[in-house]
C-alpha cells in the first residue's frame, strides 16, 4: 500500500515537460575523475504488465553498478509508517470544505460507479491520497513499475538500495500547493476519467517511443502542473546533484527517477553537465 501511495507523488515527475534538446531516457554519466561510469534512467511509475519492457541494456548496466538509487528508498521498512502518518490533512480539512455539495455528490457517485471507492468514508484524506485510489482505474490492467522491478533485481544481486530524498521530503511538496487547488485538480481529473485514461495512454506511448516533442506538447496543455514546476521538479533536481556526485565518486551507481526530472535547463541532464560530467545517451534494449 505504501509503495502505491508514494507512486502518486512520483507520477508527478513524469507528467511534466522534457527538454527537446535532451531526447532519450537512459544515460551514461562519466568524467569529473569518476573511476567508473554511472547510469541515469528516467522511468514511468505505472505501466501495464503486458507492455512492460525493462530492456537488456538496462538490466546489464544495473548488474554492473554497485548500488541502486531511487527518488525514495521504496525498500525501506519504515516507509509504510511514514506514509500512514501523512495520510490525512494536518488541519483536519475535508474535501467537503473545498467542493460544493453538488460537486461532492457528483464525484462521490461517479467514483463509486467507476472505481468502487466510496470517498464518503475518506473525506479527510489528503488529495494525493484520494488520487492514489483512482490511478489503478486509468490503465484497467495489472500493472508493473520500473522501480519495483529494479528493486527486485537489485535485491537478488544483494546490491544496496538508497533514496535521493526521504518520504517526508517528497510529500512536503504538497504543503507548498494550496489545498483548494489540489482538491480542485482532483475533482476535475476524477470527473472525467475517460479523458484521463486517454491522456495517460498517450503519455506512456510517448515515453516508450522516447518522443520528447509529443510529451512537451501534451504537458504544456496541463495548466495544473505549470505553476508548480519549481516545487515538483526544479528545486528537487538541484538538491539531488551533490548527493549524486558523492555516490558516483565512491563507485558505479544506477539512478532511476521519474522521466520528467531529466530534461530542461533545470533537469538532471543539464545540471550534471553544468558540473562537468559527460552524459551519453544509451539504448535501453
Amino acid at each position: 500500500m505504501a509503495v502505491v501511495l508514494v507512486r502518486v507523488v512520483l507520477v508527478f515527475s513524469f507528467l511534466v515537460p522534457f527538454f527537446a534538446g535532451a531526447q532519450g531516457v537512459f544515460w551514461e554519466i562519466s568524467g569529473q575523475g569518476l573511476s567508473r561510469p554511472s547510469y541515469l534512467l528516467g522511468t514511468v511509475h505505472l505501466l501495464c504488465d503486458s507492455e512492460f519492457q525493462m530492456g537488456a541494456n538496462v538490466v546489464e548496466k544495473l548488474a554492473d553498478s554497485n548500488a541502486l538509487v531511487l527518488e525514495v528508498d521504496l525498500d525501506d521498512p519504515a516507509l509504510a509508517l511514514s506514509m500512514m502518518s501523512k495520510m490525512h490533512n494536518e488541519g483536519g480539512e475535508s474535501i467537503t470544505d473545498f467542493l460544493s455539495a453538488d460537486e461532492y455528490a457528483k464525484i462521490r457517485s461517479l467514483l463509486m460507479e467507476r472505481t468502487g471507492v466510496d470517498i464518503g468514508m475518506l473525506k479527510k484524506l489528503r488529495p494525493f491520497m484520494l488520487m492514489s485510489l483512482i490511478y489503478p482505474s486509468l490503465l484497467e490492467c495489472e500493472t508493473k513499475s520500473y522501480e519495483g522491478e529494479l528493486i527486485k533485481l537489485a535485491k537478488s544481486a544483494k546490491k544496496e538500495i538508497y533514496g535521493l530524498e526521504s518520504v517526508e521530503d517528497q510529500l512536503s511538496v504538497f504543503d507548498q500547493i494550496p489545498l483548494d487547488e489540489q482538491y480542485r485538480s482532483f475533482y476535475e481529473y476524477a470527473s472525467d476519467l475517460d479523458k484521463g485514461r486517454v491522456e495517460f495512454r498517450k503519455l506512456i506511448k510517448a515515453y516508450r517511443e522516447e518522443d520528447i516533442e509529443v510529451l512537451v506538447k501534451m504537458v504544456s496543455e496541463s495548466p495544473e502542473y505549470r505553476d508548480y514546476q519549481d516545487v515538483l521538479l526544479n528545486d528537487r533536481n538541484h538538491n539531488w546533484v551533490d548527493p549524486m556526485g558523492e555516490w558516483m565518486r565512491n563507485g558505479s551507481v544506477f539512478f532511476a527517477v521519474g522521466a520528467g526530472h531529466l530534461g530542461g535547463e533545470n533537469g538532471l541532464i543539464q545540471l550534471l553537465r553544468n558540473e562537468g560530467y559527460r552524459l551519453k545517451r544509451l539504448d535501453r534494449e
Side-chain angles (χ1 to χ4, degrees):
M1 177 67 171
V3 172
V4 172
L5 299 179
V6 171
R7 286 179 191 145
V8 176
V9 186
L10 297 180
V11 80
F12 283 100
S13 305
F14 178 58
L15 300 178
V16 288
F18 283 76
F19 184 51
Q23 186 163 344
V25 297
F26 191 32
W27 298 79
E28 178 185 273
I29 308 169
S30 61
Q32 282 295 77
L34 298 181
S35 59
R36 295 177 58 201
S38 287
Y39 305 96
L40 174 62
L41 175 68
T43 67
V44 178
H45 305 298
L46 288 176
L47 194 65
C48 284
D49 191 352
S50 61
E51 297 178 320
F52 184 87
Q53 293 179 329
M54 179 66 74
N57 200 30
V58 172
V59 175
E60 178 183 332
K61 299 306 184 187
L62 175 59
D64 289 342
S65 303
N66 297 336
L68 170 65
V69 178
L70 308 170
E71 292 183 34
V72 170
D73 181 0
L74 298 175
D75 192 49
D76 185 351
L79 182 68
L81 184 60
S82 296
M83 287 301 306
M84 292 294 288
S85 68
K86 299 290 184 178
M87 288 176 59
H88 297 90
N89 294 312
E90 292 184 359
E93 298 91 343
S94 166
I95 186 173
T96 53
D97 296 329
F98 300 95
L99 301 183
S100 69
D102 287 344
E103 288 173 331
Y104 172 72
K106 173 187 174 182
I107 204 66
R108 181 181 181 185
S109 175
L110 179 63
L111 290 178
M112 272 291 293
E113 177 185 344
R114 299 295 296 274
T115 70
V117 173
D118 183 4
I119 61 173
M121 305 295 292
L122 308 167
K123 291 182 181 180
K124 295 185 184 298
L125 283 185
R126 297 175 71 178
F128 71 84
M129 296 291 295
L130 292 174
M131 285 295 292
S132 75
L133 302 177
I134 66 174
Y135 274 129
S137 69
L138 294 179
L139 291 177
E140 297 182 307
C141 61
E142 293 295 321
T143 62
K144 276 189 177 181
S145 75
Y146 280 96
E147 288 77 15
E149 297 306 304
L150 289 168
I151 287 172
K152 290 178 184 177
L153 291 170
K155 292 180 72 173
S156 67
K158 295 182 170 50
K159 296 182 183 296
E160 295 293 338
I161 301 172
Y162 302 103
L164 286 162
E165 59 192 7
S166 68
V167 170
E168 289 77 13
D169 290 336
Q170 193 164 88
L171 297 185
S172 69
V173 302
F174 293 104
D175 295 334
Q176 302 176 60
I177 303 175
L179 266 180
D180 60 337
E181 293 187 31
Q182 293 185 55
Y183 277 115
R184 181 54 51 185
S185 292
F186 169 73
Y187 172 76
E188 292 175 355
Y189 200 90
S191 294
D192 195 348
L193 290 178
D194 288 334
K195 178 182 177 181
R197 186 174 296 114
V198 170
E199 293 301 302
F200 203 67
R201 297 295 309 173
K202 288 181 180 178
L203 283 166
I204 290 173
K205 180 177 183 293
Y207 172 81
R208 288 170 60 88
E209 297 174 351
E210 302 190 25
D211 193 333
I212 309 306
E213 300 263 338
V214 169
L215 288 169
V216 171
K217 182 178 184 302
M218 290 179 65
V219 180
S220 67
E221 297 169 356
S222 301
E224 64 267 31
Y225 302 111
R226 187 168 52 228
D227 294 336
Y228 297 103
Q229 288 186 34
D230 282 342
V231 172
L232 293 168
L233 285 183
N234 298 340
D235 294 344
R236 296 165 65 206
N237 291 342
H238 282 271
N239 290 339
W240 292 349
V241 171
D242 284 347
M244 289 176 72
E246 292 178 15
W247 269 308
M248 291 189 291
R249 284 190 290 272
N250 290 322
S252 182
V253 179
F254 192 104
F255 299 99
V257 300
H261 286 285
L262 302 189
E265 60 183 322
N266 290 295
L268 290 176
I269 293 170
Q270 188 58 48
L271 292 179
L272 289 167
R273 283 176 171 160
N274 292 347
E275 294 295 314
Y277 296 101
R278 295 190 299 271
L279 279 92
K280 180 178 73 173
R281 182 183 175 184
L282 301 175
D283 291 329
R284 286 181 288 167
E285 300 304 322

